[in-house]
Amino acid sequence: MEQRISRPEARVPSIGMMRPGGGGPNRFAPGSKPKNAKGTLMRIVKIYMRWAKTIFLAMLLTALSSLISVTIPYFVGKAFDTFEISSRTVNTEVLIRYLFFILALYLTNWIILSLNGVITLRVSQKLVYTLRKEVFYKMQKLPLEFYDTRSHGDTMSRITNDVDNISSTVAQTTTQLISSILTLIGSFVIMIRLNLLLTLVVLLCIPLVTALTRVIASQSRAHFLAQQRNLGLLNGLIEENILGLKMVKAFGKQQDVLERFREINENLKESSTKAHTWAGYMMPLMNVINNFIFTATAISGGILSVGYGLSVGTVVSFLSYSKQFAQPLNSIAGMFNTIQSALAGAERVFEILDSEEEAADSEDAMEADQLRGEVTFDNVSFSYNKTTPILKNVSFHVKAGEVVALVGETGAGKTTIVNLLTRFYDPDSGNIFIDGVPITKFKRNSLRKCFSVVLQDTCLFSGTIMDNIRYSKMDASDEEVIRAAQIARAHDFISKLPKGYHTMVSGTTDNLSQGQRQLIAIARAVLCDSPILILDEATSSVDTKTEKDIQRALVSLMKNRTSFLIAHRLSTIRDADRIFVVSHGRIIESGNHESLMKEKGQYYKMVVSQMGNITAAV
């Protein structure tokens, strides 16, 4: 299903030039325990305290509801005491009064619970809103290194599933825990005042419920963890199959995928069956305990009533308390694992919030206005993991308006050079200058507006083609967008689409070929009209004829602009003013095509290996 976001600027691009291979394992498996439960809980409480008055009102209503729940059995017993067994009479006036009072208590409790539910829900949703907003804002300030070293799916899960888990679990268990504790305390106090012996009989449920909960939880926990693990595997397989369905069909692997799906699905069925079977034992066995305590209370109450003069109303009250007392115990026991899971999810969310942001702009940072595009690298070194160097003492100077090509084998450091130039990363040592000014002296957002970027992996956003081209210049008119598409040689294929420039596209749909998507990205860069142009394998997905058309179009685009071209297809960079040959993090050769061919060095070997013979190469 296609989606449209009316304002493209609201969509956050992932067009940073990232080194490949990012994405680590999920270090937080489902059901994992929090490392610092107390500290995490205090942080959640601190967030909740932003709505302290509302929380206090909810707690007050919870306490009031618990008090009413505890007192209802007491007055039910009083109502029974209006019957005089010996004289076989009933005090009708008092009975009616008690009945109306009990009805009023039930009605009041229903109103309080309904109001409390609304308040709790609103606070819960405010928490979700606040956490998601803070996490999403934080994500805009994190360096690309954060995304390079973490699974994108795991990051998405934290901002969606984990935040939901925190809000629904903590909001509900907070009131439920308060209600359960107050109900236990209130019931215990009233029972003690009514009769000590019957109180001891009711308290027998505590060790029985505790033992039952411990046994059920120990057996079901492992199966629930296996269920979550298998569910994750199944979701991953389905996602991979949808995204890679063409490859599955192309290599005839449908049967293998079906067999793998059957295996995981079978494991999921078994673990789910065992988990829910063990969990299903809880309520029947709880009913057994409740009925046992109810029976023991009834027998004991009957004996005390007949032989020791205990009122029937008191026995009836205790029968209600015997049913009521076990439920909070079960709720408290059941909440433990739920709270543990919520705290583990909260730690995952807080890990993002605690991650180190990009270094702030210096106080004297300036706007990068009217730059000419002169670029200097002065003895720059860099490594992604601070151990394996990617660039080693790289130095070069590019004049404003010069076209520079970066060539070399995969992993040599070509993309890293432009990553540093755009300040997606900062060098470990050395300095980078634009127009003689260190790039750290410019405000980041202002600096990045000085670059027009086209990547090998084209990023499109949900919206129309017009929206996607206009993304680089939101105030551009339709005529300017169309003109940019014409320069990029995208206008012809766009015009042939059923809805033209208003055709809906997204980052995941296949209604456009990779080459067409790249042409849209080039049109976006044309519209941007920035002083420095970066083309990272920008024509890798188009055919030879289209590539030549684009190259002719880019001649006018690169005019009076400093341009950095990264390409493995060496025919695309022959006309560059200078060519830098990058190998193992160093620039080993520099010059134009003719001079480098005469040197017969690394560049010469690369050209000959691609062209096939010297005549074609020259």
Side-chain angles (χ1 to χ4, degrees), residues 248-300:
V248 173
K249 289 182 177 293
F251 288 98
K253 295 294 183 181
Q254 294 99 318
Q255 193 58 41
D256 293 343
V257 171
L258 288 173
E259 181 60 28
R260 177 62 176 157
F261 179 87
R262 186 202 64 77
E263 179 185 345
I264 298 176
N265 202 27
E266 183 70 24
N267 292 336
L268 176 60
K269 184 195 74 173
E270 291 181 3
S271 58
S272 297
T273 301
K274 292 177 180 178
H276 290 285
T277 298
W278 275 103
Y281 288 148
M282 177 65 78
M283 289 315 297
L285 292 176
M286 276 297 301
N287 287 334
V288 171
I289 293 175
N290 288 342
N291 291 332
F292 170 74
I293 298 299
F294 183 85
T295 303
T297 304
I299 294 173
S300 302

Side-chain angles (χ1 to χ4, degrees), residues 73-85 90 95 98 102 312-314 316-317:
Y74 176 80
F75 287 105
V76 170
K78 290 294 184 181
F80 271 89
D81 282 340
T82 60
F83 293 90
E84 293 290 342
I85 299 177
V90 59
L95 175 61
Y98 274 126
I102 292 170
V312 175
T314 301
V316 171
S317 296

Side-chain angles (χ1 to χ4, degrees), residues 378-391:
D378 182 18
N379 211 29
V380 172
S381 297
F382 176 75
S383 63
Y384 286 105
N385 56 13
K386 308 305 179 185
T387 57
T388 305
I390 303 298
L391 295 182

Side-chain angles (χ1 to χ4, degrees), residues 5-13 461 467 470-471 474-475:
I5 300 177
S6 59
R7 290 183 58 83
E9 66 268 30
R11 308 179 202 112
V12 181
F461 307 102
D467 292 335
R470 190 182 276 126
Y471 193 88
M474 296 309 303
D475 58 349

